[in-house]
Amino acid sequence: MTLAERYNAEALRLLPHMADDLAVDPAIDRVSEIDEIVFRRGEFLGGMACAILAMIERKN
């Protein structure tokens, strides 16, 4: 499972009403790429993406 797949699943679980805004290509496997993509959509979304990625990192 790629990082983006885990990220998308966690975004859907935590924020189902915003999952489409936070979703990225499931093939991505780099934190910086996910952060960059979502941050371009807006600072608020980028902050949420960083928090979700941090939660994933803590689980590992």
Side-chain angles (χ1 to χ4, degrees):
M1 181 177 263
T2 67
L3 176 59
E5 289 172 324
R6 291 189 310 245
Y7 164 82
N8 287 338
E10 195 70 6
L12 180 61
R13 184 181 76 77
L14 294 169
L15 301 158
H17 61 289
M18 298 188 78
D20 289 339
D21 295 326
L22 292 165
V24 296
D25 180 348
I28 297 171
D29 211 20
R30 291 184 2 193
V31 169
S32 61
E33 199 171 346
I34 293 171
D35 183 49
E36 184 178 317
I37 290 167
V38 181
F39 194 83
R40 272 190 254 138
R41 295 176 189 164
E43 278 187 52
F44 180 70
L45 293 173
M48 287 193 292
C50 285
I52 292 168
L53 289 165
M55 291 174 65
I56 291 170
E57 181 63 31
R58 287 190 82 183
K59 286 183 179 180
N60 293 335

